[in-house]
Amino acid sequence: QVQLVESGGGLVQAGGSLRLSCAASGRTFSSYGMGWFRQAPGKEREFVAGISASGGNTYYGDSVKGRFAISRDNAKNTVYLQMISLKPEDTAVYYCAAQTVHRTYAYWGQGTQVTVSS
């Protein structure tokens, strides 16, 4: 089992920045890929960013490319999402997720709210 705890959400003005953190426990952190997803009210969950186990490969959803950056610190069992140039449409609950060995996202955190005001 993997336990994931997100932090760092909050209220920010459009154009501002936030950094989300996700602390993982329960399994060797460096063995699996991680990702961030988000879900806005009335919308489906959306892939935001992903990172490989080693951190050498990163992936982004089209709506956040160039503005968000995912990173990880395997020594601290933590994955980060740096968000800049935030827009009101980035408002959502952001979830951290961990992959299984089959590279499916099977473990989820409780989410952290990000609200961007215009």
Side-chain angles (χ1 to χ4, degrees):
Q1 285 291 337
V2 177
Q3 293 78 44
L4 304 171
V5 179
E6 302 98 333
S7 61
L11 174 64
V12 63
Q13 289 188 332
S17 302
L18 279 176
R19 188 176 81 155
L20 305 183
S21 299
C22 173
S25 61
R27 197 172 59 164
T28 305
F29 180 72
S30 59
S31 298
Y32 46 90
M34 298 290 295
W36 287 95
F37 292 76
R38 67 186 183 186
Q39 188 165 21
K43 294 188 177 181
E44 294 188 353
R45 187 171 58 196
E46 175 188 15
F47 171 77
V48 174
I51 188 166
S52 61
S54 68
N57 294 295
T58 56
Y59 316 89
Y60 296 94
D62 289 341
S63 61
V64 306
K65 283 180 182 176
R67 299 188 300 121
F68 290 12
I70 188 171
S71 62
R72 66 189 295 162
D73 185 338
N74 286 346
K76 295 183 178 180
N77 289 357
T78 302
V79 62
Y80 304 97
L81 184 68
Q82 179 68 52
M83 307 184 291
I84 66 171
S85 302
L86 283 162
K87 305 174 182 179
E89 50 264 45
D90 294 319
T91 295
V93 177
Y94 283 70
Y95 297 93
C96 174
Q99 291 182 332
T100 67
V101 294
H102 305 293
R103 299 188 179 180
T104 57
Y105 289 102
Y107 305 100
W108 298 85
Q110 82 289 351
T112 186
Q113 177 70 47
V114 172
T115 302
V116 184
S117 63
S118 57

